[in-house]
Amino acid sequence: MKAPKKDVRDYIRTIPDFPHEGIMFRDVTTLFSHPRGFRMAIDQLLHPYAGEDIDVVVGLEARGFILGGAIAHQLGKGFVPIRKEGKLPGKTIKQPYTLEYGEAVMEIHDDAIEAGSKVLVVDDLLATGGTAEAGIKLLEQLGGEVVGCAFVIDLPELGGRAKLEALGMDVHILCEFEGE
């Protein structure tokens, strides 16, 4: 008998009460470690943008680096990381933001992209949208034009997709999970 076809969601495990009690952590490391699941995720994330005019793929720290690097490779484009404060060695610009569990600051090198560059933003999870919004603001400060935002997982109850769409962003999601 043939096994049922899996989708991306089937490769993601849930870890209860991490990093805080009451949180259902959606762990994509199980997706990344499975060759078929990882390829499926990369293919599905880049598919809507395959014919688009994109100059660079930007990954948000940290799992967005894994996804974004693979997508940039497949598209034949460069990759730029947006990192948490204090992780980049060169001159940076900063953007504070609020996330599910507190506050943080994101940074990008001040010469990471050229003005007018068309940018695809990639990360594993969209929750409140704070991290992605901070990344978008940094890219716009450098004169970048965000053509899309791609995520493996959306937590719709936290409103991140609506926040990004209200900013005029095209948002591509592979799967949703209810709850936090």
Side-chain angles (χ1 to χ4, degrees):
M1 182 185 299
K2 193 172 184 178
K5 186 176 178 184
K6 287 187 167 188
D7 66 16
V8 168
R9 184 185 169 105
D10 295 327
Y11 295 99
I12 299 166
R13 75 175 157 191
T14 298
I15 301 174
D17 299 322
F18 183 84
H20 302 291
E21 188 173 335
I23 301 295
M24 300 298 282
F25 186 81
R26 309 309 176 171
D27 181 18
V28 293
T29 63
T30 50
L31 171 68
F32 294 168
S33 69
H34 195 284
R36 177 168 280 142
F38 186 54
R39 177 171 288 283
M40 183 187 306
I42 297 305
D43 290 348
Q44 290 177 11
L45 285 168
L46 71 82
H47 179 75
Y49 305 103
E52 294 293 317
D53 182 19
I54 294 172
D55 299 307
V56 66
V57 177
V58 168
L60 302 175
E61 184 152 337
R63 291 168 298 272
F65 300 168
I66 297 165
L67 297 162
I71 291 168
H73 171 75
Q74 287 297 104
L75 293 175
K77 304 299 178 182
F79 173 79
V80 171
I82 291 184
R83 303 218 50 193
K84 293 178 181 170
E85 185 175 32
K87 303 284 186 179
L88 292 171
K91 187 175 176 195
T92 63
I93 60 172
K94 302 174 187 308
Q95 180 65 47
Y97 68 103
T98 303
L99 63 165
E100 305 91 294
Y101 317 117
E103 295 181 357
V105 176
M106 297 298 278
E107 292 182 324
I108 190 171
H109 281 127
D110 67 353
D111 61 355
I113 64 165
E114 294 180 21
S117 293
K118 306 257 191 289
V119 182
L120 174 61
V121 175
V122 179
D123 203 359
D124 68 319
L125 178 78
L126 179 59
T128 65
T131 305
E133 181 182 27
I136 291 164
K137 287 180 179 179
L138 287 168
L139 293 163
E140 289 175 345
Q141 284 179 52
L142 294 177
E145 179 187 333
V146 178
V147 298
C149 300
F151 303 90
V152 174
I153 301 167
D154 182 26
L155 303 178
E157 293 174 19
L158 298 180
R161 182 179 197 145
K163 177 185 280 188
L164 297 184
E165 287 175 343
L167 295 173
M169 297 295 121
D170 173 65
V171 179
H172 177 57
I173 305 286
L174 300 189
C175 65
E176 296 180 349
F177 285 91
E178 296 303 317
E180 294 186 21

